Amino acid sequence: MDNELFGHVSTQDFIDFGFEAEFIGRLPIRVVCEHLEAKDLLEIMKSSEGSLLRQYEQEFAAYGIQAKFEEGAMKIIAERAAQEKTGARGLLTVCERILRDFKFELPGTSVSELKINADLVKNNSKVLEKYKKKGQKVSVGRVSQELELFSSEFLKNHGVRIEFSEDAVEAIGERAVKEGTRPLQLCEFLFKDYQFGLKLIQKNTGKAEFTVNSEAVTDPDSYLSSIVVSSYRDAEKNE
């Protein structure tokens, strides 16, 4: 009812209410806003440019997690956002309340898919614990993919290739989960200076491919030192 009345308010009404004529004159266009209902907010989530749902999907995708919003979850989010009575901004309030901990806890785990359904929205803490337990399981396939990417980049940048034994793959996967990082990022940290030592070995032996084991994951510096020393000994024997 109020909105219907506001639609008929004139400039003189504002002046009679107490606003200065000079002030009202600076507001030549006046618009009456309607309250957004749950169905309106649902449509905004689905169809608006720069959809909030797409933003969350992109955030999770940056960590290798495919997030998918189901219809039931979107309806509940829209209903809760309508209760906030802050318009479309309520969608962000509700989504952040539901998904904030997922954004912090899941990156770096082996979780690669997140189904945002009605159960997750209603019981987000309980569902998060399930995903965290699932994330503790090392996905050998995913670890191997990231290690292959690291090996390719290392070869491209330094002219030598690093391969990983089975126990190294397992050790990297377990350590990545424990430290809350991705296998690729862990390798970039562990082997950031390996090109110098491997280049020396290449000079001594002519080798351009090197297979590292779990010892390199546990103590990369000691492992590299030991194989560099061995390469010098081998070179002396061959002289």
Side-chain angles (χ1 to χ4, degrees):
M1 183 64 180
D2 287 342
N3 284 354
E4 293 180 11
L5 291 175
F6 286 146
H8 298 285
V9 170
S10 67
T11 299
Q12 188 59 47
D13 291 326
F14 283 105
I15 295 173
D16 292 343
F17 188 76
F19 286 98
E20 293 289 340
E22 292 80 2
F23 175 77
I24 293 300
R26 294 179 181 276
L27 303 173
I29 300 175
R30 296 181 286 273
V31 178
V32 179
C33 296
E34 301 287 343
H35 289 294
L36 293 176
E37 298 179 358
K39 61 181 179 63
D40 302 314
L41 294 170
L42 180 61
E43 185 62 27
I44 289 172
M45 276 194 292
K46 289 182 175 181
S47 308
S48 66
E49 183 178 352
S51 167
L52 182 64
L53 303 188
R54 304 293 87 77
Q55 293 177 33
Y56 274 98
E57 289 172 353
Q58 290 169 5
E59 285 184 35
F60 281 108
Y63 293 99
I65 301 172
Q66 182 182 9
K68 183 178 181 181
F69 286 83
E70 296 186 0
E71 185 74 16
M74 289 189 285
K75 287 182 178 179
I76 298 173
I77 291 171
E79 290 169 358
R80 291 184 182 179
Q83 294 172 5
E84 295 288 326
K85 298 187 183 301
T86 55
R89 293 180 179 86
L91 292 171
L92 178 59
T93 301
V94 174
C95 284
E96 194 64 16
R97 190 179 295 151
I98 295 168
L99 297 172
R100 178 178 57 239
D101 291 339
F102 286 83
K103 292 194 296 181
F104 286 109
E105 298 286 354
L106 297 188
T109 70
S110 61
V111 173
S112 60
E113 184 178 7
L114 176 63
K115 291 183 179 180
I116 304 171
N117 52 26
D119 184 39
L120 185 149
V121 174
K122 293 177 181 178
N123 307 289
N124 60 317
S125 296
K126 185 177 180 180
V127 174
L128 175 59
E129 288 303 315
K130 291 181 180 179
Y131 272 101
K132 287 170 65 176
K133 289 180 180 178
K134 180 181 178 182
Q136 294 300 316
K137 298 178 181 178
V138 179
S139 171
V140 176
R142 180 176 175 183
V143 174
S144 297
Q145 288 179 350
E146 297 206 19
L147 295 187
E148 178 58 33
L149 178 59
F150 172 79
S151 295
S152 298
E153 286 297 313
F154 196 90
L155 175 62
K156 178 181 177 181
N157 294 331
H158 307 298
V160 291
R161 182 175 180 83
I162 295 180
E163 299 286 353
F164 297 89
S165 64
E166 290 186 9
D167 63 327
V169 173
E170 183 177 351
I172 289 171
E174 292 176 353
R175 182 166 174 177
V177 170
K178 184 178 180 180
E179 297 183 7
T181 187
R182 291 176 57 185
L184 176 60
Q185 294 171 328
L186 179 60
C187 286
E188 290 172 346
F189 169 73
L190 293 176
F191 309 119
K192 60 181 181 297
D193 296 323
Y194 258 47
Q195 65 272 21
F196 303 112
L198 296 184
K199 284 284 189 179
L200 287 175
I201 299 175
Q202 184 182 37
K203 181 179 179 181
N204 292 334
T205 65
K207 290 177 58 178
E209 293 187 6
F210 303 89
T211 300
V212 299
N213 57 32
S214 58
E215 294 178 18
V217 181
T218 304
D219 192 344
D221 292 339
S222 295
Y223 180 82
L224 180 61
S225 295
S226 67
I227 61 175
V228 169
V229 170
S230 295
S231 74
Y232 276 102
R233 290 173 180 168
D234 292 340
E236 290 176 357
K237 291 179 182 179
N238 294 329
E239 287 181 355

